[in-house]
Amino acid sequence: MMKQATEIVINSTLVTDRYEAIFYEFVLTEDLAVMECGYVESLSQHRMQAVINPSVDLQGMLFELNHVRVNPRMDNTLILAKLARALEESGVQINHPAQQDDMALCFKPLGELSDIVRFFVNVHGQLTFLSSSVKLQVVESVGPISLR
């Protein structure tokens, strides 16, 4: 029996108004909290710079999910299910999820996502996922804005 995976890695791109790709990697716990985070200084030299306090240092930053990496020598079923549930709650549909013994587990562990997924790190150090399939509307314009 394989040991249960307790972390997962997400690669993402910082969303900016400039034509540059700044890559970040997040190591998430089973609760999808950020355990470690860093941005890629150099792809060719495989250099990363650690982000010491992600919930503070990344405040106001938006990221776009590129891919998910898992440890193929561990059972990733539970942690992938938690991530899939969080994505589905944000409106993303997941098709053809990889099984634990599939080769696809290394390349597309979640399967095929129906939408571009963006996220930010909230004040509790957890990821909040956003999907283009959920259309937010302003329902009140006087006083505090509430979204539906």
Side-chain angles (χ1 to χ4, degrees):
M1 181 174 207
M2 291 175 124
K3 184 177 176 184
Q4 199 63 237
T6 58
E7 57 189 48
I8 195 166
V9 177
I10 290 183
N11 179 282
S12 63
T13 304
L14 178 65
V15 177
T16 68
D17 59 352
R18 292 172 272 158
Y19 293 106
E20 63 180 329
I22 302 171
F23 298 103
Y24 280 76
E25 293 211 339
F26 295 84
V27 178
L28 305 180
T29 65
E30 296 172 86
D31 299 324
L32 304 183
V34 178
M35 186 168 82
E36 292 181 45
C37 175
Y39 70 90
V40 180
E41 286 185 330
S42 171
L43 279 174
S44 62
Q45 296 177 355
H46 306 289
R47 280 198 333 244
M48 290 190 68
Q49 179 68 37
V51 175
I52 304 304
N53 190 349
S55 59
V56 174
D57 297 341
L58 303 178
Q59 187 173 9
M61 298 170 88
L62 184 65
F63 300 91
E64 189 169 297
L65 176 69
N66 293 331
H67 61 267
V68 175
R69 288 199 312 267
V70 297
N71 184 342
R73 294 184 178 144
M74 299 185 110
D75 183 356
N76 298 281
T77 308
L78 292 178
I79 197 162
L80 283 172
K82 288 180 181 182
L83 180 57
R85 190 175 326 113
L87 291 172
E88 288 169 345
E89 286 173 0
S90 73
V92 176
Q93 294 178 7
I94 299 174
N95 299 312
H96 312 295
Q99 301 303 312
Q100 182 60 34
D101 57 349
D102 288 347
M103 183 62 122
L105 186 67
C106 294
F107 302 104
K108 284 190 175 184
L110 277 176
E112 297 172 14
L113 305 181
S114 64
D115 296 295
I116 293 173
V117 176
R118 292 188 172 174
F119 64 90
F120 61 91
V121 180
N122 67 26
V123 296
H124 304 291
Q126 293 185 301
L127 301 190
T128 300
F129 294 102
L130 308 167
S131 161
S132 59
S133 66
V134 175
K135 304 296 182 196
L136 299 176
Q137 298 175 309
V138 176
V139 294
E140 210 175 286
S141 61
V142 178
I145 296 177
S146 57
L147 300 173
R148 157 175 70 174

